Structure formats: C-alpha cells, structure tokens
C-alpha cells in the first residue's frame, strides 16, 4: 500500500454551517487538495498547535500527548486510511518500543494529535483519487486572467449555484468547482466534489 504524504495548507471557517471548519490538506509532491469538514473544537486545537500557542490549561489532545509520554508510547505517523459514504477514517500509528499498534480516530483528532508529536500525515491513493480536488496547472501563470474570467462568468454561475447541487448539470458542477477553488472556498468545493462523485 503506497502512502502519500500530506501537509496542512489551511483552515477556514464554514460559510454554511456554524461551528464547522474546512481543513485543507495538500499532496506534498502533487497538486491535489483534500478538504475535510471538521468541528470547532478540533479546528481550535489544530490552529493552536499550528500557531504555537500555549493554552493556560491543557486541551484534550495535549492531555493525550502527556498520557502517551507517561506510559512510554510514541506516535510515529497519522494515516487517513479510508473514505466510506463521505466519511473519512484514520489511524494513529503508535509504538511502545517493543510493539507497534494503531488506534482508530477521526481525522481531525488524529491530525491534532499528530501535530503535537510532529509526525507526518499520510493518505492512500484510493482516498486521494476519490476525494481529492485537482488544482489547475494554469493557476500560477494565468491567475489574473482566471480571476477576470471567473468574475465575468459569475452571474451565470451564481444562477446555477442557487439550485440544489443534485439538480445541477455535471458541466455546471465542474464550473462551480473551479470557481470555488479560485475563491479558496474549500468547504463548497468539498460539497461539489461529493456530488460529482455520486454521479460517477
């Protein structure tokens, strides 16, 4: 099973769901993005660790780290291992020196813990091919012209975006996906991606 390393690219608040956030992971040696919708507590815990903020009292993920260290368990990596019916599954890979073992966890918890141990985050090709969003290769060269194109096409796109996604054509969904990526609205991009996956 070939593993693909990911890195955290961003964390943005949800436009449609209060208390939800889009955690955006990127393929280290590629142009695919993996947006995952997570809860407010996990987003806060991830953000605190990314920003190197020390809270006055330990959060749950800090407590996990302290406990693991006390019982001589080390975390070696985080693996986003599966995607079933739109739900991501992950594993925390552990060792106590004598024995390797894994713990099932939600990706948000696994990543929050992995950040505290400074370990790499991986996924597998099946997850990335199903749920990954490919960024355009032209993005860097034609960023300005793309922005103008998106702005000029917004009225047509916005009329289709008012329709429920399940009533939107595949062609319009692909346009809306590109528009969401341009605006870095990864939460909407994830919803459009899921709808496109249902059609395939």
């Amino acid at each position: 099973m070939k593993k693909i390393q990911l890195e955290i690219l961003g964390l943005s608040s949800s436009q449609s769901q209060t208390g939800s956030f889009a955690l955006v992971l990127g393929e280290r040696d590629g142009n695919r993005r993996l947006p995952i919708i997570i809860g407010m507590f996990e987003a806060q815990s991830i953000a605190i660790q990314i920003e190197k903020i020390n809270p006055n009292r330990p959060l749950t993920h800090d407590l996990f780290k302290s406990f693991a260290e006390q019982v001589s368990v080390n975390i070696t990596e985080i693996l986003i291992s599966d995607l079933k019916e739109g739900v991501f599954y992950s594993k925390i890979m552990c060792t106590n020196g004598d024995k390797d073992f894994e713990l099932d966890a939600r990706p948000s918890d696994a990543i929050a813990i992995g950040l505290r141990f400074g370990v790499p985050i991986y996924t597998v090709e099946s997850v990335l091919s199903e749920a990954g969003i490919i960024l355009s290769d032209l993005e860097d060269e034609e960023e300005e012209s793309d922005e103008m194109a998106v702005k000029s096409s917004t009225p047509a796109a916005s009329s289709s975006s008012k329709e429920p996604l399940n009533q939107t054509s595949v062609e319009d969904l692909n346009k809306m996906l590109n528009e969401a990526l341009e605006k870095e609205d990864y939460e909407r991009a994830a919803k459009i991606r899921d709808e496109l996956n249902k059609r395939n």
Side-chain angles (χ1 to χ4, degrees), residues 79 88-92 103-111 113:
L79 177 66
F88 290 94
Y89 293 81
S90 67
K91 297 175 192 241
I92 302 171
L103 302 173
D104 287 329
R106 296 180 303 174
S108 53
D109 288 324
I111 289 166
I113 288 166

Side-chain angles (χ1 to χ4, degrees), residues 7-12 22-25 38 42-55 59 62 108 111-117 121:
E7 52 193 3
I8 296 173
L9 299 181
L11 190 59
S12 59
L23 173 65
V24 183
L25 303 168
I38 66 173
E42 294 80 9
Q44 179 189 39
S45 184
I46 289 168
I48 281 173
Q49 192 61 30
I50 290 171
E51 298 295 326
K52 305 292 183 201
I53 297 168
N54 288 320
L59 300 177
D62 301 315
S108 53
I111 289 166
I113 288 166
L115 282 171
R116 282 158 173 77
F117 282 89
I121 303 164

Side-chain angles (χ1 to χ4, degrees), residues 163-177:
E163 293 178 29
L165 291 179
N166 61 5
Q167 294 174 17
T168 306
S169 72
V170 170
E171 187 181 345
D172 283 344
L173 284 173
N174 281 312
K175 285 180 189 170
M176 289 160 64
L177 179 60

Side-chain angles (χ1 to χ4, degrees), residues 77-120:
E77 67 183 56
I78 302 304
L79 177 66
I80 300 171
S81 55
D82 209 350
L83 175 64
K84 295 177 186 170
E85 298 177 5
V87 177
F88 290 94
Y89 293 81
S90 67
K91 297 175 192 241
I92 302 171
M93 313 305 274
C94 312
T95 183
N96 64 5
D98 298 324
K99 179 179 159 191
D100 295 341
F101 59 97
E102 56 189 49
L103 302 173
D104 287 329
R106 296 180 303 174
S108 53
D109 288 324
I111 289 166
I113 288 166
L115 282 171
R116 282 158 173 77
F117 282 89
V119 299

Side-chain angles (χ1 to χ4, degrees), residues 161-198:
S161 68
K162 287 177 186 173
E163 293 178 29
L165 291 179
N166 61 5
Q167 294 174 17
T168 306
S169 72
V170 170
E171 187 181 345
D172 283 344
L173 284 173
N174 281 312
K175 285 180 189 170
M176 289 160 64
L177 179 60
N178 289 330
E179 184 182 339
L181 290 171
E182 287 287 339
K183 293 178 178 175
E184 296 186 359
D185 184 353
Y186 289 105
E187 183 209 4
R188 181 156 178 75
K191 287 178 181 172
I192 296 167
R193 169 204 68 199
D194 291 344
E195 180 59 32
L196 282 166
N197 284 341
K198 280 184 203 168

